[in-house]
């Protein structure tokens, strides 16, 4: 039996928080191995890196999610006992509900709501001295996502709700005040959505069939029961909150346009789907999800390594997207690399890997790609702007991270094109 490399640290919990995104990646390089062992919060955890390991991790016969997600992540990012923590038939039924919202018509509706908001905001920005793109994008996405879901969003609440969805995401890797802000934001968000679910079920809030609000309110579990109000509220948040989170990728995309200006012209080339190459590289190159976790379902072995039932297993998302065996010069921003990409569900996993229905791959990946393409077209052609001196660095030890300034634009002029 081969020996598994063990991190010499007695417990790595603080190191994960201190080192952030590169924690797993650095160790897989140091040990020159796709598998190694650490201790996390006092427990043994097996860490996996790379496409072959991702294929193992996304085999639903080998792993379960129940019990794998720390409570601190559930109380901020995803909600207690939400889809991310479900297995087998229960998961499948919930996932079908989410995937039913991701069809072409539904996506098109979201994109046209978003396009409207980008244009509206562009005119507003013309009157402002400076615009912080990240904050504005959060609002744009929040308005469009609520309209798409048919969740009423009164005008005076827009900014507060957008910030709350953002705080839920920001809270997942935080300790102290950042974690508390995420928790409070989630409490407020779930309370709001409980009211929406109750109103729909009482007939006081009419919503169209096929929208997120209608679908979640009337979804039935495998036992034929409606979701309880709290769970329905959590899953409705889970349909809107990650749309608002696309603001992070949009901010990184703006940074990429700024730092690699030749792509501005290439993006306009109608001969090639350059926007697709560009946004895929944004999702590969810039950090968002650091890793995902699962528990071993039953004992098994892989390449001679023993996986005992109940062991926590972490998959290195950040590092797998920059694995030199698949990604030449991974630290170079180079969209053209995606011309050769074979579309494996395991070597490029910014939003998880494997299958959508039978596994936990992100339900919103197509929406994310389309919303990003639209935002890039808007930033490239829908407005002209200056980028004043500011701190555009992003800190890899902070999870999630973002350019420090949030990407400030000045002298914004709308062109009426793009998006
Ligand atoms: C799951 C990332 C956008 C809905 C996930 C997972 C990741 C992820 C890493 C977990 C994969 C795993 O557990 O193996 C992201 C990122 C996004 C994004 C970085 C960009 C901002 C979206 C959008 C939606 C969405 C726009 C829907 C509107 C979901 C759902 C799950 C999920 C419902 C749970 C899937 C399951 O457990 O089966 N996402 N996501 N996400 N995401 Fe996303």
């Amino acid at each position: 039996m081969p020996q598994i490399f063990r991190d010499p640290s007695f417990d790595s919990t603080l190191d994960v928080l201190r080192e952030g995104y590169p924690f797993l990646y650095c160790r897989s390089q140091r040990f020159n191995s796709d598998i190694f062992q650490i201790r996390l919060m006092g427990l043994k955890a097996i860490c996996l890196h790379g496409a072959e390991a991702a294929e193992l991790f996304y085999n639903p016969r080998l792993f379960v999610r129940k019990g794998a997600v720390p409570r601190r992540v559930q109380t901020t990012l995803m909600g207690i006992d939400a889809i991310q923590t479900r297995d087998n038939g229960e998961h499948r039924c919930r996932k079908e509900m989410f995937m039913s919202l991701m069809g072409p018509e539904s996506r098109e509706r979201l994109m046209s709501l978003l396009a409207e908001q980008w244009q509206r905001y562009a005119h507003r920005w013309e009157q402002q001295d400076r615009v912080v793109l990240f904050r504005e994008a959060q609002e744009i996405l929040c308005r469009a996502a609520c309209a798409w879901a048919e969740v009423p969003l009164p005008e005076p609440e827009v900014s507060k709700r957008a910030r709350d969805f953002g705080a839920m995401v920001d809270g997942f890797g935080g300790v102290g005040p950042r974690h508390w802000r995420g928790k409070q934001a989630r409490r407020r968000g779930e309370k709001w959505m409980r009211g929406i679910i109750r109103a729909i079920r009482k007939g006081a809030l009419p919503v169209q069939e096929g929208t997120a609000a209608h679908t979640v309110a009337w979804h039935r579990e495998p036992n034929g029961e409606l979701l309880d109000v709290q769970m329905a509220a959590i899953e409705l948040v889970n349909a809107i909150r990650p749309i608002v989170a696309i603001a992070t990728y949009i901010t990184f995309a703006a940074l990429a346009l700024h730092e690699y200006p030749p792509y501005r012209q290439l993006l306009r080339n109608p001969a090639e789907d350059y926007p697709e190459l560009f946004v895929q590289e944004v999702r590969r190159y810039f950090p968002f999800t650091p890793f995902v976790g699962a528990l071993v379902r039953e004992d098994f072995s892989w390449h001679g390594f023993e996986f005992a039932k109940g062991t926590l297993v972490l998959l290195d998302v950040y590092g797998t997207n920059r694995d030199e065996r698949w990604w030449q010069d991974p630290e170079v921003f180079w969209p053209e690399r995606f011309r050769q990409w074979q579309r494996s569900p395991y070597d490029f996993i910014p939003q998880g890997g494997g299958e959508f229905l039978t596994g936990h791959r992100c339900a919103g990946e197509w929406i994310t790609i389309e919303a990003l393409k639209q935002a890039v077209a808007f930033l490239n052609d829908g407005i002209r702007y200056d980028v004043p001196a500011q701190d555009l660095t992003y800190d890899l030890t902070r999870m999630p991270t973002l350019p420090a300034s949030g990407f400030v634009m000045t002298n914004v002029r709308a062109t009426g094109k793009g998006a």
Side-chain angles (χ1 to χ4, degrees), residues 305-336:
F305 295 106
E306 299 295 330
F307 286 68
K309 180 177 177 175
T311 307
L312 175 64
V313 176
L314 303 179
L315 174 66
D316 177 13
V317 169
Y318 171 81
T320 299
N321 291 338
R322 30 196 13 98
D323 184 332
E324 278 180 343
R325 293 167 295 181
W326 277 266
W327 307 105
Q328 190 192 332
D329 298 326
E331 300 304 334
V332 175
F333 184 84
W334 178 36
E336 290 82 352

Side-chain angles (χ1 to χ4, degrees), residues 106-243:
S106 175
R107 296 196 324 254
E108 223 169 273
R109 205 163 59 77
L110 177 61
M111 291 313 131
S112 94
L113 289 161
L114 275 168
E116 213 177 284
Q117 294 301 334
W118 282 114
Q119 293 302 342
R120 234 185 101 199
Y121 272 68
H123 291 295
R124 238 160 95 163
W125 297 343
E126 287 182 315
Q127 316 304 319
Q128 287 173 225
D129 291 341
R130 67 196 282 282
V131 167
V132 180
L133 178 64
F134 177 64
R135 292 177 71 87
E136 300 288 304
Q138 281 186 322
E139 281 191 20
I140 288 171
L141 289 154
C142 182
R143 283 178 190 274
C146 288
W148 171 77
E150 290 208 345
V151 166
L153 177 60
E155 187 58 36
E157 292 183 18
V158 172
S159 161
K160 180 182 97 178
R161 298 297 186 193
R163 249 23 104 222
D164 272 358
F165 285 124
M168 294 176 203
V169 179
D170 200 43
F172 84 76
V175 285
R178 183 145 68 94
H179 176 68
W180 277 100
R181 268 197 300 276
K183 256 174 115 159
Q184 300 291 350
R186 170 156 290 284
R187 283 204 196 110
R188 284 191 292 269
E190 289 177 1
K191 184 174 176 209
W192 175 34
M193 294 302 165
R194 285 197 298 272
I196 301 286
I197 297 291
R198 285 197 192 99
I200 294 172
R201 289 182 180 170
K202 275 198 298 207
L205 177 63
V207 283
Q208 296 278 326
E209 210 170 308
T211 57
H214 185 280
T215 304
V216 174
W218 298 114
H219 174 75
R220 288 188 186 271
E221 292 281 73
N223 63 8
E225 301 282 324
L226 291 175
L227 292 172
D228 70 51
V229 173
Q230 169 63 8
M231 185 47 66
I234 285 175
E235 298 299 26
L236 193 47
V237 171
N238 267 334
I240 298 175
R241 182 255 317 147
I243 297 180

Side-chain angles (χ1 to χ4, degrees), residues 57-58 65 83-85 91 95 98 102 148 238-240 242-243 245-247 249 288-289 292-293 317 349-353 356 359-365 367-368:
F57 182 87
Y58 281 107
R65 296 301 178 94
I83 179 170
Q84 292 89 343
T85 65
H91 171 261
K95 194 63 175 278
F98 275 101
M102 304 299 158
W148 171 77
N238 267 334
I240 298 175
I243 297 180
I246 300 171
Y249 276 148
F288 203 164
T289 304
V292 284
V317 169
I349 53 169
Q351 294 176 231
F356 287 101
H360 287 269
R361 189 185 190 109
C362 172
E365 200 164 10
I367 283 185
T368 308

Side-chain angles (χ1 to χ4, degrees), residues 48 63 86 95 123 176 192 251 277 284 297 318 322-323 335 347 372-373 379:
L48 298 174
F63 295 97
R86 302 283 167 145
K95 194 63 175 278
H123 291 295
W192 175 34
T251 308
L277 306 180
R284 186 199 69 81
R297 191 187 277 271
Y318 171 81
R322 30 196 13 98
D323 184 332
D347 58 12
L372 259 175
K373 279 184 174 180
L379 291 168

